[in-house]
Each structure stands twice: as C-alpha cells, then as structure tokens.
Amino acid sequence: MSSENADAGHEHEESSVWDVVVVGAGPAGASAAYAAAVAGRRVLLLEKADLPRYKTCGGGIIGYSRDSLPPGFELPLRDRIHAVTFSLNGRLARTRRSRRMLFGLINRPEFDAGLVEQAQKAGAELRTGATVSRVEQHGAAVPDRRTVAVVLSGGETVLARAVVGADGSAGRIGAHVGVKLDQVDLGLEAEIPVPPTVAEDWAGRVLIDWGPMPGSYGWVFPKGDTLTVGVISARGDGAGTKRYLEDFIARLGLAGFEPKISSGHLTRCRSDDSPLSRGRVLVCGDAAGLLEPWTREGISFALRSGRLAGEWAVRVAESHDAVDARRQALNYAFAIKAGLGVEMSVGRRMLKLFERRPGLLHAVLTGFRPAWNAFAGITRGTTSLAELVRSHPLAQRALSALDR
C-alpha cells in the first residue's frame, strides 16, 4: 500500500470514531453533549426513547439550574414562584412570600427537548431509539486502547475516544463503572388538570408538606391548567407512600379531578466512595447517583455534573494513553467531589435532622426569618446548603450534634 493510501485509510478509521459519545438525553446528557460539542469535538448523543418524552419530576428550576444553562437558552417556564406554603402533614400551614421570584417551574418534555436542541446547534448529533446494551473497553470490538465500544441492542457497535453515561440510575453505564448507591427513595406523582378557578388559586405559589413518614414530604407545583402533585419517601414502604399521596390529594380537595398522568420512580444517591469513572468512561447526573439527598433535587446536579463530564470527556478523548486518560478522569472526580460532593454531604446531614425533627424544621422555616431568607437564597442560587453551614456556627453545631 502506498503512503497516500495508508494515510487515507487512517483518516477513514479516525472518522468512524466519535470523540465523545453521550448515553442519555436528559439534562445531564444534553449538558455533557453541549459542553463537548462547543469545544469543537465530534459528539454523538444516544437516547433510547423518542423525544420529547415524559419524566417523573416536579420540574423546579432553582438558581443553580438556571445559571448552568447554555447561553441564550430560554426557559419554557410554566409559572414563576413567589410564595411557598409549608405544612406539617396537613397541619400548621403557613405561607411565606417574596417580591423576587424564588424559582421557576417547567415541564420536563419541553425542557429536555430544548437542551437537546442546544446541543445539536453546538454540533452534537442525536440518535433516538438507540438502546445501549453494554460498553466494552477491551476485547475484539475495541480496535485499540484509545477506543471504547458502545454496543447497541441491535448489535451495532459505536466507537468513541470517551463515553459519558447519563442514562439514569438504573442504566447500563453506571453498572459498567460500578456506581454504588446508599440512599434509595420512591417518588410518586400525578399530573392533575384543574379548572381555571382552581389554577388561579395556585398561581405563583407552591405547597411543601412535611410528611408522616421519616424523611418524607409532598409538593404541589402549579403549571398553568395542571397541578403537579407528588410525594417522596424512603423505599421500603411503597404502600405507605401511595397512601400518603392519596391522602395528600384528598386533603387538598383534588380527589375529584382525574390525573392525566400518574407515575413513579426511584431516586438514588451515590455513596461517598462510589466511582465516577472507569477507564475512558465517565458518569454524571442520576447515572452517577448525584442529587441532593434531603430534597432529592436532581436537575441542578444533572446540569452541573453534565457540563463537567462533557468538559473532562474532551480531555479524556485527547489522551493518548491509559495513564493520561486516568489522570483526566480523576480530575473530573475531584471537581465533582469538591463541589457537588460537599453539597451532598451537607444534604445527608440535613436529611438526618429532618427525619428526627420535622416539626422543628417546620417551626424554624415558618417562624424564623433568617431561615426563610436562607431557603430563598438557596432557591435563587445566591447560596447553597454547604455555604450556609460554613458561614453559620450555629448550623455547624446543630449538624455536628447529629454525628455523635
């Protein structure tokens, strides 16, 4: 073979290998694909479902989520929240209000589709209906040590220099990496269409109800002519969680309205020692078990970890040997643990406090203005749980007492 033909063959081989393949087109995956594509890399975004698709999710967009969106992204807000009603298992209801918006509410199908569109505009290619059956980093399907093979359910193999797993907490990529989980919760939700008179009563206001089971709570999020009503609690008492949702809906006077969607899902938090990578494969969002343990808020964690995964996947893709790829993957893990990991640690301790003393938490939030201001700051993104604990000695002492 002439050198010219050899070069042509090498270029063909390179063009058949993607720089970054992202598995899962939710907020984490779309953010990762956008970050890698903006860096000028060849990016393939794989999604097993057709888009748009429904996801069980309250749809709250707090400040950290808003700040993590691609430049110019227009949020498809269904409502802007300026008031929160807190109740303790239906009792002691009190409403707190704010002149400034606390957070926004979206429907996930619209939100996710918008993020995917941004990734495509940045240069990422989308393939829907693509179910990943496994990932291989060694073996016959892998041509060299710089390549990862993503094997689809139909038998097709997609080759990449780096892979980002964003396919959910029960996905294939997290299993490949060996993600370990130490908190699993069951969330149940109903999308309830309501008449204009009922919708008007909820406009601009959400309800958060501290529930009857340890660590449980319920919510009402208004989205125009539909109320998203849900509850969440630790997995293990599915009947109790279902009963809580039914009682919650009845107590609100909504039992007479037929839900257009009733759904449930499990949320899973990573353990402290859970890996975030394996070889040239990184995980982010739910696939990595990244969400806030107390509120189980996951969108901001998905957006932030997805962006970091996309940025570091570019560096992994550029690595010419296993040692450098490992170094870049460890840098990604360090970035996650230094930011989101700290927030998760504080969230775990807050959950422990909430499980033991929900009444105390309710009293503080509804009767102590600095606590309400802190809540508002978290929702707006001007502070975080971790920053609040670092800056308030009283909060440090309260959480330290839980560790004894």
Side-chain angles (χ1 to χ4, degrees):
M1 178 185 288
S2 70
S3 60
E4 182 178 339
N5 289 337
D7 290 341
H10 179 70
E11 289 174 5
H12 175 74
E13 179 184 326
E14 286 292 313
S15 67
S16 67
V17 181
W18 296 89
D19 292 321
V20 178
V21 168
V22 180
V23 182
S31 295
Y34 174 84
V38 161
R41 299 303 181 268
R42 293 183 67 243
V43 180
L44 176 63
L45 178 58
L46 300 175
E47 168 58 43
K48 65 181 179 181
D50 291 326
L51 298 177
R53 78 283 188 264
Y54 179 79
K55 285 286 185 180
T56 304
C57 178
I61 300 296
I62 63 174
Y64 276 120
S65 297
R66 186 188 61 247
D67 295 343
S68 302
L69 295 169
F73 183 86
E74 292 189 16
L75 275 168
L77 291 180
R78 292 290 176 156
D79 205 342
R80 292 169 169 80
I81 301 306
H82 289 80
V84 181
T85 298
F86 296 98
S87 62
L88 184 62
N89 196 20
R91 299 176 291 108
L92 305 174
R94 183 171 182 182
T95 300
R96 287 284 199 176
R97 301 184 183 278
S98 171
R99 290 189 181 90
R100 294 170 54 202
M101 187 179 84
L102 296 167
F103 57 96
L105 298 177
I106 51 90
N107 284 328
R108 279 288 302 277
E110 299 169 345
F111 180 67
D112 291 12
L115 289 173
V116 169
E117 184 179 347
Q118 289 292 311
Q120 290 177 289
K121 287 179 178 178
E125 183 174 318
L126 171 70
R127 283 184 59 182
T128 59
T131 300
V132 173
S133 62
R134 66 184 186 278
V135 173
E136 296 182 8
Q137 301 196 62
H138 307 282
V142 183
D144 57 63
R145 294 185 178 182
R146 288 189 61 210
T147 307
V148 181
V150 180
V151 183
L152 306 184
S153 58
E156 179 187 354
T157 296
V158 178
L159 301 179
R161 298 298 182 206
V163 171
V164 175
D167 53 340
S169 59
R172 300 287 187 180
I173 312 303
H176 173 80
V177 168
V179 172
K180 296 186 287 185
L181 307 163
D182 67 358
Q183 177 186 326
V184 183
D185 297 286
L186 171 63
L188 301 177
E189 197 167 72
E191 303 285 351
I192 305 177
V194 293
T197 53
V198 176
E200 288 169 10
D201 184 54
W202 286 99
R205 177 176 66 95
V206 302
L207 169 64
I208 297 177
D209 178 73
W210 313 117
M213 296 170 286
S216 66
Y217 75 96
W219 61 89
V220 179
F221 284 180
K223 299 171 184 176
D225 60 358
T226 300
L227 300 179
T228 298
V229 184
V231 301
I232 195 164
S233 67
R235 183 180 65 172
D237 186 7
T241 306
K242 183 180 179 182
R243 188 164 52 251
Y244 176 29
L245 178 61
E246 292 171 348
D247 292 346
F248 187 44
I249 290 174
R251 187 195 310 147
L252 294 167
L254 300 174
F257 303 111
E258 185 69 24
K260 63 179 177 182
I261 298 175
S262 294
S263 62
H265 72 132
L266 295 175
T267 65
R268 299 173 171 91
C269 291
R270 69 186 296 272
S271 59
D272 282 334
D273 62 343
S274 179
L276 290 160
S277 67
R278 177 181 173 186
R280 290 176 173 268
V281 178
L282 311 178
V283 286
C284 60
D286 286 345
L290 292 167
L291 70 157
E292 202 281 293
W294 173 34
T295 63
R296 290 80 156 187
E297 191 277 322
I299 293 178
S300 75
F301 278 65
L303 292 169
R304 288 182 283 172
S305 66
R307 185 187 70 246
L308 288 171
E311 291 170 352
W312 287 106
V314 168
R315 295 173 172 86
V316 170
E318 294 170 345
S319 301
H320 289 283
D321 55 54
V323 173
D324 191 36
R326 177 63 176 161
R327 183 185 303 115
Q328 303 304 337
L330 287 174
N331 286 337
Y332 165 67
F334 178 79
I336 290 292
K337 292 175 183 178
L340 300 180
V342 173
E343 292 182 36
M344 289 186 70
S345 178
V346 175
R348 287 190 185 94
R349 297 161 80 185
M350 283 297 300
L351 176 62
K352 191 182 295 185
L353 173 63
F354 174 49
E355 288 173 340
R356 294 181 184 178
R357 303 290 299 276
L360 174 63
L361 181 70
H362 179 72
V364 169
L365 268 175
T366 58
F368 186 51
R369 178 159 289 279
W372 163 250
N373 291 339
F375 176 89
I378 291 170
T379 61
R380 293 192 186 108
T382 58
T383 188
S384 68
L385 269 177
E387 290 169 350
L388 284 170
V389 170
R390 280 196 296 263
S391 60
H392 289 78
L394 183 61
Q396 292 175 15
R397 288 198 295 270
L399 290 181
S400 295
L402 294 173
D403 298 329
R404 298 193 190 109

